[in-house]
Amino acid sequence: MPSPLILKLPQILFLSALFTTVYAPYWASKTIWYECSTDSNYTTNSTYHSNLNLLLPSLSSATLSTGFATLSKGQPPDQVFGLAFCRGDVSQDECQSCLSTADQDLLQLCPSGKSAAIWPESCFLRYSNRSFPSSTSDDDSFRRILYNGGNVSEPTKFEKLLSELLNNLTERAAYQSVRMFATGEAEFMTSTTLYGLVQCTRDQSGDDCYRCLTVSAGEIPKSIWGKQGAAVLAYTCIMRFEIYPFYNESVGAAPPPPPSTDTVSPPPEASTPPVKERGKYEISKSFILFIGELSCSHSIT
Ligand SMILES: *[C@@H]1O[C@H](CO)[C@@H](O)[C@H](O)[C@H]1NC(C)=O
Ligand SMILES: *[C@@H]1O[C@H](CO)[C@@H](O)[C@H](O)[C@H]1NC(C)=O
Ligand SMILES: *[C@@H]1O[C@H](CO)[C@@H](O)[C@H](O)[C@H]1NC(C)=O
Ligand SMILES: *[C@@H]1O[C@H](CO)[C@@H](O)[C@H](O)[C@H]1NC(C)=O
Ligand SMILES: *[C@@H]1O[C@H](CO)[C@@H](O)[C@H](O)[C@H]1NC(C)=O
Ligand SMILES: *[C@@H]1O[C@H](CO)[C@@H](O)[C@H](O)[C@H]1NC(C)=O
């Protein structure tokens, strides 16, 4: 099995069950993050292991049609529960390839953990000997924030716009989307557009989705004020924003407004020359790649 190209950060970071934020740069890798249980292991060729091996392919195929599935295999005490979703904008082919890579990566990265979760770029996969969504408070309070190292030039203005955009997307994903998925754009400066994406696992109520995303959005100004991109990972919702398009804009966008309420974009602030912002964007992009290459030297063997 090929080694996944993966960002591996010190395992010590995973041990804290409290609400923690990891300040880590990331790049557009296959895998953004993963978590393994280390307190409950299964043994090779155990019943749990074979149930897990049965679960993963079934879970992937169950997920393809609607983009979300939960499934279990086996009987207690060896029952394995799985949950998976694909990002709302990806095709079935991309969904399938994301999940099958996620399966392989997770088995390799967490070779004996009874519980594990992985957040690749365009899907999410999780398994445990505990059923979903009987989430624990540890699950609810778990957040990982991986950010883009680039800074925006007008952070106060940016954070305000970001918060507004994420609020709008949260509202839509929780209450107006069958897939609990929403994407949207907002113009930050004339040459800079802010792109946001949110998604919840569909095994929860709209209110729970709303709560999960609201907590995630609330962490952003507290933890990464002024950063131009980040992914906020949780077990029941994901959130991401960037100043470049990172999703398929023709899926998950808001329905077009009625013609009577059409508005033109607000004029750019006179004090903010757009040329500067374009420069920053380019710098931060190569910054991400640089970090990526550094991280590769720590990849799993
Ligand atoms: C589970 O496995 C991990 C990794 O192999 C190990 O670090 C950990 O100590 C094990 N936990 C228990 C409870 O055996
Ligand atoms: C999951 O496995 C751990 C460790 O073996 C055990 O302590 C726990 O009770 C199990 N949970 C369930 C719901 O079976
Ligand atoms: C697990 O089962 C496989 C196939 O039956 C066998 O080749 C392998 O040696 C077993 N591993 C352990 C640790 O028992
Ligand atoms: C962003 O700002 C922080 C704090 O001011 C600084 O340490 C960091 O180097 C800046 N990053 C870039 C890419 O300029
Ligand atoms: C948020 O939604 C409101 C109401 O639909 C809209 O007026 C506003 O422009 C939206 N803001 C952003 C940043 O998307
Ligand atoms: C974006 O989504 C649309 C609608 O599903 C699809 O037709 C198009 O091929 C997708 N574009 C990309 C680049 O994946």
Side-chain angles (χ1 to χ4, degrees):
M1 202 184 293
S3 295
L5 199 63
I6 199 165
L7 178 65
K8 187 168 191 305
L9 292 165
Q11 296 285 333
I12 191 107
L13 295 173
F14 300 164
L15 298 177
S16 168
L18 298 174
F19 197 117
T20 54
T21 300
V22 176
Y23 304 96
Y26 69 90
W27 83 110
S29 69
K30 294 270 179 288
T31 288
I32 294 182
W33 197 260
Y34 71 95
E35 293 279 329
C36 304
S37 69
T38 49
D39 56 344
S40 60
N41 292 337
Y42 62 83
T43 49
T44 307
N45 294 349
S46 62
T47 310
Y48 192 88
H49 191 187
S50 59
N51 287 339
L52 179 59
N53 285 333
L54 288 173
L55 175 84
L56 293 178
S58 315
L59 183 60
S60 294
S61 42
T63 305
L64 288 184
S65 56
T66 66
F68 173 80
T70 57
L71 210 60
S72 94
K73 290 284 180 195
Q75 300 300 320
D78 297 307
Q79 192 170 9
V80 192
F81 299 86
L83 178 153
F85 71 78
C86 281
R87 222 172 59 186
D89 61 313
V90 306
S91 66
Q92 273 201 9
D93 282 353
E94 199 177 338
C95 179
Q96 178 157 38
S97 114
C98 185
L99 287 172
S100 73
T101 307
D103 284 354
Q104 290 171 18
D105 287 355
L106 212 42
L107 288 174
Q108 197 179 14
L109 294 164
C110 311
S112 59
K114 277 193 175 176
S115 301
I118 191 165
W119 289 262
E121 175 94 34
S122 55
C123 63
F124 170 74
L125 172 73
R126 180 183 189 192
Y127 57 78
S128 176
N129 67 334
R130 191 163 47 71
S131 70
F132 309 118
S134 64
S135 62
T136 62
S137 56
D138 279 358
D139 280 2
D140 289 343
S141 62
F142 171 93
R143 289 293 181 287
R144 291 291 180 261
I145 303 183
L146 305 173
Y147 67 85
N148 177 328
N151 300 315
V152 291
S153 56
E154 284 194 69
T156 306
K157 185 181 163 192
F158 182 81
E159 293 296 336
K160 186 168 173 291
L161 185 71
L162 176 61
S163 153
E164 194 183 308
L165 175 65
L166 294 177
N167 276 343
N168 286 0
L169 296 180
T170 293
E171 191 78 36
R172 281 199 356 244
Y175 301 116
Q176 293 155 36
S177 160
V178 182
R179 304 183 135 223
M180 288 191 156
F181 170 72
T183 62
E185 291 95 50
E187 193 175 331
F188 175 46
M189 292 176 186
T190 32
S191 66
T192 308
T193 304
L194 175 59
Y195 297 84
L197 177 151
V198 303
Q199 187 164 359
C200 290
T201 62
R202 260 182 268 161
D203 57 339
Q204 62 190 316
S205 68
D207 285 349
D208 286 340
C209 170
Y210 186 89
R211 240 187 312 275
C212 184
L213 290 170
T214 302
V215 169
S216 291
E219 271 305 293
I220 292 168
K222 279 191 262 171
S223 308
I224 48 159
W225 173 265
K227 294 296 173 197
Q228 54 185 226
V232 186
L233 310 175
Y235 284 115
T236 56
C237 68
I238 57 165
M239 172 174 279
R240 186 167 171 193
F241 67 91
E242 302 285 357
I243 56 168
Y244 59 87
F246 60 95
Y247 51 81
N248 185 337
E249 291 166 69
S250 63
V251 190
S260 58
T261 62
D262 263 359
T263 51
V264 285
S265 306
E269 303 258 312
S271 61
T272 58
V275 176
K276 280 261 158 64
E277 197 53 31
R278 173 59 67 184
K280 278 184 180 291
Y281 170 72
E282 300 299 346
I283 290 165
S284 73
K285 258 197 140 178
S286 51
F287 184 64
I288 300 172
L289 289 172
F290 177 60
I291 294 298
E293 281 160 16
L294 269 187
S295 302
C296 289
S297 63
H298 299 291
S299 69
I300 315 294
T301 51

